Each structure stands twice: as structure tokens, then as C-alpha cells.
Amino acid sequence: MTKALDGVRILDFTHVQSGPTCTQLLAWFGADVIKVERAGEGDATRGQLRDIPGVDSLYFTMLNHNKRSITLDTKKPLGKEVLETLIKDCDVLVENFAPGALDRMGFSWERIQELNPKMIVASVKGFGPGPYEHCKVYENVAQCAGGSAATTGFDDGPPMVTGAQIGDSGSGLHLALGIVTALYQRTQTGRGQKVLTSMQDAVLNLCRVKLRDQQRLERTGVMEEYPQYPNGTFGDSVPRAGNASGGGQPGWILKCKGWETDPNAYIYFVAQAPAWGVICRVIGKEEWISHPDYATPRARLPRLMEIFATVEEWTKTMTKFQAMDEMNQFDIPCGPILSMKEIAEEPSLRATGTIVEVDHPERGKYLTVGNPIKLSDSPTEVERSPLLGEHTEQVLAQLGYTGEQIAHLRSEHVI
């Protein structure tokens, strides 16, 4: 069975997380991703947060599956010649260098277009054009600049970043969509184009409901589904909402049996309006079904924290899984707070390829995430990440370099 992106060749100049997330996804879909690294060093994450001395870190391996690695010194004339050959041979160049780095290498957009008019050049930057476009950005900076941190946490505490890598991996996912879209448009126009994703833009896109709420707040001065209503106060910007749902169905995280010693003995419960009657019956509060203070969603809004506290007294009598089983019988929306240990050990996630065990020649077996997007005609097989420069000679031979030429490049320390 062919892969969705068979025949597409990606020149991968990315490093750390945002760019590698993008190119790994393309590799999972069948693209030939050639990761270009510096000899002796490679991607900085090969050596970051190592758990085994001298072996590629999990940080690197989990972001660079299904790729080929070559080493190349693009500062040397011979290295530039090799890069020119690669540009002519590839469909997409992906980079997350600092702004202007490609130009300084001598490979401006105009030069790349001269070499290959069909080339798509895709970039991840911290910020888009504007006053901050030259600023260096990491994951948490992007979360702060994109509106996530200001709206995460509890109202009486500081802004908080989330454990989800919405800045790095989030921007990589956005960039991958942009690349695939540009490849599709190229089938119509025959031309390449530039694709840009900024980390700030990606975070904001994932926080769009908070931009929605900002406009609602400016119009009404209050947001009744937030926990600050009715006894708290609202300022001129969207407040932090704790564990409140971002939609119209009120929700909260509730304690379950064992919460005193288990930091993850909790369940997320949604007081969905259509399920209100059955919720009341399950928790033993049938009188709430017709009581004017509880009978309608509007009436319940000022009493949500009281309702959650009452439901919590019920959930504390069961484990999170027992509570989930009870509520699922009646289609009450809920979900257990799963720890990373529980997720790693969940058999169903192994069966679907969401969690995958990979064998590495130096570190042995380890767990990683699989492709979160499943295509029925293009199944993903997660292959290990490449060793530094593992495929240099193979790629050069495919480009037409002879053994003698490859040996010369190596003697000149170009590869």
C-alpha cells in the first residue's frame, strides 16, 4: 500500500521541537525527510535531557522518527554546492532558523526559486512580521504571547503555562497543514511558495475561544459561565477560569476516592443541560429536577459551585474509573484525570498506535507517541530516529555523487 506523501522529498533544516514536529508528521505520511545536521553536533536536542550518557535523548528520538540524517557544513563552498543539489532535488525546505539565517547562508527566497521554481519554503518563527519578529521564542514564551498563560490558572493566582506544547508542537502541526496545502496548490499552479507559521499565531489560534470571550466581556461586562459569576468581579480582560469549561456546558474537576494521597484521583464532570435530570437522579438530588433554583441552565448558573460540591460528595465515594463507569451508563459527559504513567500503560492506546514501542540501536526499547491522524489508506509505521549522519552517503549517492566524490567531501570535512 502506498503512503499519502510517497514521492514528496523534504529538506529538513529544523531543530528542537516546532520544526521537527512538522517534518515528523510529514514523514509519518510517507514523505522522504532528509534531516540536515552539523557534523559532530547535530540537532541540539540529541544531547538535551539525556537519560543515558552518550546516547541520543528521548527529546530527540521522539521528534525525529522516520527521517534520514545527513551531516553537511553549509558554510564551506563544497557544502553549498551539495545544498544546491539538494534544493534542486527536493519539493519542500522546512526551517526554523532565526529570521534572516537562510539569507545569510546565501539561500534567499529568490536564490532558491532560481534553483527550483517548484520549491516550497516553510518556516516557523516566534512572531510574525511586526515589532517582535526578531525576538527569540521558546514554548512558554509563545504561550504567554499568544494569550494562553493569561487565561490559564485560577483567578486568585498568577498566569500559568500548560503542560501541552501548544507553542512548539502546536506551530509544527499548523505548519504541516500549510505545507500539504501548498503542495496541493502546486499541482494546479506548478509553482512553489513560502509558508509561514508563527508560534504566537498558532497559540492564539488554539485560544480562539478566549478571544471570543474578550469580545463578549467588552459588550456585556460579565460572563455568566465563568466561576467569578455571580459573586466575583470582572475586569476589562478575560480572567483565568480555573477548570471551567470553555463552552456553554458547565464543567469542573472533582475529587474521587483516594484523592488525599493520589494527585490524579480526580474526574472532569460536565453538567450538560440535556442530562440534568439523570444527573440529579444519579447523585440522589431528584428534587433539583423541578426546583426553580435548579430546573433550568439559567437558574443553575449562580449555583454552579454548590452543584459541583454536591456532585463531588458523590464522586468521592468511588474511584475515578468507577465514577466514570457510573456516569457513562447515563451518557453524562465525564473523563478521568489520567497520569502519564496510566497513559503509558493503557493497552488500548498501544492497540491503536497512539502509544508505540520503538527499538533503538543504542538506547534499546522506548515508548513514543504515534501518528495522531489515522488514514485508512496510508497506515503509519513508526520507525526509529536516525543516528547522526547515518544516511549521508546514501543520500549523496542518490543525488548522483560517486564514491570518490563522497570520499573527497569527507576528507574536506564537508560531511
Side-chain angles (χ1 to χ4, degrees):
M1 186 178 290
T2 60
K3 301 290 186 180
L5 294 181
D6 268 350
V8 174
R9 185 160 289 173
I10 310 290
L11 187 54
D12 183 2
F13 268 102
T14 69
H15 55 284
V16 190
Q17 185 179 164
S18 59
T21 296
C22 166
T23 52
Q24 177 172 261
L25 191 60
L26 299 174
W28 279 341
F29 287 135
D32 178 15
V33 176
I34 301 170
K35 186 176 180 73
V36 182
E37 304 183 75
R38 286 181 294 182
E41 298 180 39
D43 190 315
T45 58
R46 284 186 184 269
Q48 289 181 357
L49 304 176
R50 274 186 170 138
D51 56 316
I52 304 175
V55 174
D56 287 339
S57 71
L58 287 167
Y59 195 4
F60 176 84
T61 60
M62 293 176 70
L63 286 162
N64 291 281
H65 293 108
N66 296 60
K67 303 178 185 180
R68 297 194 288 171
S69 169
I70 69 170
T71 53
L72 183 65
D73 187 344
T74 58
K75 294 181 179 179
K76 295 181 177 178
L78 285 175
K80 290 184 186 298
E81 290 180 14
V82 174
L83 180 52
E84 288 183 356
T85 305
L86 282 165
I87 289 172
K88 292 174 183 177
D89 186 67
C90 291
D91 299 283
V92 185
L93 186 155
V94 190
E95 60 91 16
N96 59 343
F97 294 128
L102 273 180
D103 290 354
R104 292 190 293 273
M105 288 169 58
F107 291 91
S108 64
W109 166 249
E110 291 74 20
R111 176 59 181 149
I112 292 172
Q113 285 287 285
E114 288 176 5
L115 294 167
N116 183 354
K118 292 186 176 183
M119 172 67 78
I120 293 162
V121 177
S123 305
V124 175
K125 303 301 175 193
F127 295 93
Y132 305 113
E133 62 183 301
H134 297 295
C135 294
K136 195 169 188 178
V137 174
Y138 287 98
E139 170 66 44
N140 290 350
V141 175
Q143 289 193 27
C144 292
S148 174
T151 54
T152 301
F154 288 87
D155 197 39
D156 58 353
M160 292 188 69
V161 297
T162 172
Q165 304 294 286
I166 61 175
D168 275 322
S169 288
S171 59
L173 293 170
H174 282 82
L175 189 68
L177 175 59
I179 289 169
V180 172
T181 304
L183 284 168
Y184 178 80
Q185 188 172 16
R186 193 179 70 176
T187 66
Q188 313 298 318
T189 66
R191 298 195 309 272
Q193 62 181 298
K194 291 185 283 187
V195 179
L196 172 66
T197 292
S198 87
M199 294 171 70
Q200 181 187 40
D201 291 358
V203 171
L204 178 57
N205 186 44
L206 298 173
C207 294
R208 68 180 69 182
V209 296
K210 299 301 182 180
L211 183 60
R212 172 203 69 189
D213 289 348
Q214 179 63 35
Q215 295 171 88
R216 292 172 56 227
L217 178 63
E218 291 173 359
R219 185 175 296 276
T220 66
V222 65
M223 289 180 292
E224 296 177 347
E225 79 281 6
Y226 272 55
Q228 288 82 356
Y229 177 82
N231 301 316
T233 59
F234 290 88
D236 60 1
S237 62
V238 175
R240 292 180 275 285
N243 292 316
S245 168
Q249 302 295 337
W252 204 253
I253 290 179
L254 308 179
K255 297 171 182 173
C256 292
K257 188 175 182 179
W259 66 272
E260 298 93 340
T261 56
D262 182 353
N264 296 300
Y266 291 82
I267 194 167
Y268 197 91
F269 162 78
V270 180
Q272 186 184 38
W276 179 245
V278 73
I279 289 171
C280 295
R281 293 187 188 95
V282 167
I283 67 172
K285 283 288 185 178
E286 290 192 42
E287 67 272 19
W288 279 0
I289 296 174
S290 57
H291 195 292
D293 287 348
Y294 303 94
T296 66
R298 180 78 180 180
R300 291 193 290 272
L301 281 173
R303 300 170 177 83
L304 284 177
M305 299 314 293
E306 172 199 341
I307 291 169
F308 293 141
T310 302
V311 177
E312 186 174 68
E313 290 305 309
W314 177 76
T315 59
K316 284 197 295 185
T317 66
M318 295 166 280
T319 68
K320 59 189 177 186
F321 297 110
Q322 291 170 335
M324 183 178 183
D325 288 342
E326 285 289 320
M327 287 191 271
N328 280 342
Q329 292 182 55
F330 304 100
D331 292 329
I332 300 171
C334 64
I337 308 304
L338 295 180
S339 69
M340 275 297 153
K341 180 176 175 60
E342 289 170 320
I343 289 172
E345 296 174 352
E346 172 55 49
S348 65
L349 297 179
R350 304 285 186 98
T352 60
T354 300
I355 297 287
V356 181
E357 186 175 74
V358 179
D359 199 2
H360 189 276
E362 294 181 344
R363 72 161 35 255
K365 293 183 178 180
Y366 66 95
L367 293 183
T368 187
V369 296
N371 193 341
I373 304 169
K374 274 71 172 179
L375 300 184
S376 61
D377 282 359
S378 184
T380 297
E381 298 173 7
V382 178
E383 301 171 2
R384 68 167 176 85
S385 59
L387 302 177
L388 179 59
E390 181 178 352
H391 304 96
T392 302
E393 294 189 11
Q394 179 189 80
V395 170
L396 290 176
Q398 289 177 338
L399 292 173
Y401 283 81
T402 65
E404 184 178 347
Q405 289 173 316
I406 293 172
H408 179 62
L409 290 172
R410 195 171 294 283
S411 69
E412 294 294 322
H413 302 292
V414 174
I415 58 175

